[in-house]
């Protein structure tokens, strides 16, 4: 069992389903509501743990009901929370809008207490015995930068999931052995349109030119492009049923990718493993609760062999 350290936030996901978003000053009746665990960091920690890794999570939560929700969740999943601190600020939350009849979504995230994460939250002792550091960008950049730099110095494999993306995130790419954007994030980081597979390859080249060791660009229902200076291969999506909710697909991919790398899978096969995990996640509603378990991932890969 490889060890993965994940830096990120927990957010209580408040998901609303309605025909459309309301205009300013308008009230709409929705057709469904769900409250569940989310936040990219927490989702990815759960995904890595369910995929077979020993996982430590670095975050901050509030002294409130959502904070208690997160601690109960991580305890049930077997995640090491010694690097999770409490704050008088509220725990993170996310508004998720789901159009009726669609698996797509629109999201607003408030980081809450985790917005105070900083360079001091990732301590050297936390990295002892770990193989992979994974971070996203829902917490402040200085915390992500410190995590990647300290992990690199300690000999860990580093993964940057540049979400939410901005052009400033390009400065972190030299610290990333792997960068894992989706199409829109890759386009924002590089200035390249990512509509076709060849577009994705051009974006992959640009990401490597900016300092990343390898670009793994997730392409939704098309799968993922594994792109290095010497190899560019499309890994087709693996479906396990109709798509119900795409909210946590990218998190499922990243957590499973980190777990596979930590246990010693070769990078391309680790990316294929992650594609299978993402394909399973979209068949269930919610984010953290939809992360795939190892047995299901292995079964889906075997069925596609």
């Amino acid at each position: 069992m490889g060890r993965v350290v994940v830096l990120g936030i927990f957010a209580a996901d408040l998901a609303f389903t309605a025909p459309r978003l309301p205009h300013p000053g308008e009230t709409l009746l929705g057709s469904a509501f769900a409250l569940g665990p989310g936040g990219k960091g927490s989702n990815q920690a759960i995904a890595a743990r369910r995929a077979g890794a020993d996982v430590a999570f670095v975050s901050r939560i509030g002294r409130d009901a959502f904070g208690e929700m997160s601690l109960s969740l991580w305890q049930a999943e077997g995640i090491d929370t010694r690097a999770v601190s409490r704050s008088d600020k509220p725990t993170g939350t996310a508004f998720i809008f789901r159009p009726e009849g669609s698996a797509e979504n629109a999201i607003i995230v408030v980081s809450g207490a985790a917005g105070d994460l900083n360079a001091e939250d990732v301590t050297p002792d936390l990295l002892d015995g770990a193989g992979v550091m994974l971070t996203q960008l829902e917490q402040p950049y200085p915390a992500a930068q410190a995590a990647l730099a300290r992990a690199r110095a300690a000999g860990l494999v580093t993964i940057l999931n540049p979400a939410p993306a901005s052009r400033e995130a390009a400065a972190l790419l030299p610290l990333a052995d792997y960068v894992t954007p989706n199409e829109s994030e890759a386009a924002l980081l590089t200035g390249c349109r990512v509509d076709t597979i060849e577009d994705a390859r051009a974006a992959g080249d640009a990401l490597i030119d900016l300092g990343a060791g390898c670009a793994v660009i997730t392409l939704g229902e098309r799968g993922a492009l594994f792109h290095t200076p010497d190899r560019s291969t499309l890994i087709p999506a693996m479906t396990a049923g109709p798509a119900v909710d795409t909210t946590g697909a990218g998190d499922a991919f990243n957590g499973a990718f980190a777990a596979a790398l930590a246990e010693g899978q070769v990078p391309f096969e680790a990316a294929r493993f992650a594609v299978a995990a993402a394909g399973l996640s979209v068949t269930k509603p919610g984010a953290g609760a939809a992360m795939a378990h190892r047995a299901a991932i292995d079964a889906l890969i075997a069925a596609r062999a």
Side-chain angles (χ1 to χ4, degrees), residues 13-21 30-37 95-107 244-248 284-288 290:
D13 284 350
L14 289 79
F16 296 80
T17 302
R20 58 175 174 79
L21 284 168
S31 56
F33 170 78
L35 170 64
F95 161 75
I96 301 175
F97 168 67
R98 295 174 181 151
E100 290 176 352
S102 172
E104 298 300 319
N105 56 75
I107 302 173
V244 172
D245 185 356
T246 62
T247 305
K284 297 179 180 179

Side-chain angles (χ1 to χ4, degrees), residues 119-214:
E120 303 310 313
D121 286 288
V122 182
T123 57
D125 62 292
L126 186 66
L127 304 176
D128 290 345
V132 175
M133 164 60 75
L134 167 62
T135 187
Q136 337 66 36
L137 300 174
E138 287 183 334
Q139 73 288 325
Y141 276 27
Q145 184 175 31
L148 293 169
R150 289 175 186 169
R152 173 70 66 84
L156 278 68
V157 172
T158 56
I159 305 173
L160 172 63
N161 176 220
S166 72
R167 292 303 297 270
E168 289 78 11
L172 301 178
L173 292 176
L175 297 172
D177 294 313
Y178 299 91
V179 62
T180 58
N182 63 20
E183 303 105 307
S184 62
E185 292 154 359
L188 188 57
L189 284 168
T190 66
C192 303
R193 290 177 60 90
V194 183
D195 296 326
T196 67
I197 301 303
E198 289 308 310
D199 290 343
R201 290 194 167 99
D205 285 338
L207 290 166
I208 290 170
D209 288 344
L210 288 167
C214 171

Side-chain angles (χ1 to χ4, degrees), residues 238-241 252 274-283 300:
M238 299 186 204
T239 57
V275 166
L280 287 161
S281 74
V282 301
T283 65
L300 181 56

Side-chain angles (χ1 to χ4, degrees), residues 71-88:
L71 290 175
S72 296
L73 170 70
W74 298 327
Q75 182 179 19
E77 295 289 344
I79 292 170
D80 181 348
T81 60
R82 287 174 292 176
V84 176
S85 59
R86 305 298 292 265
S87 168
D88 291 331

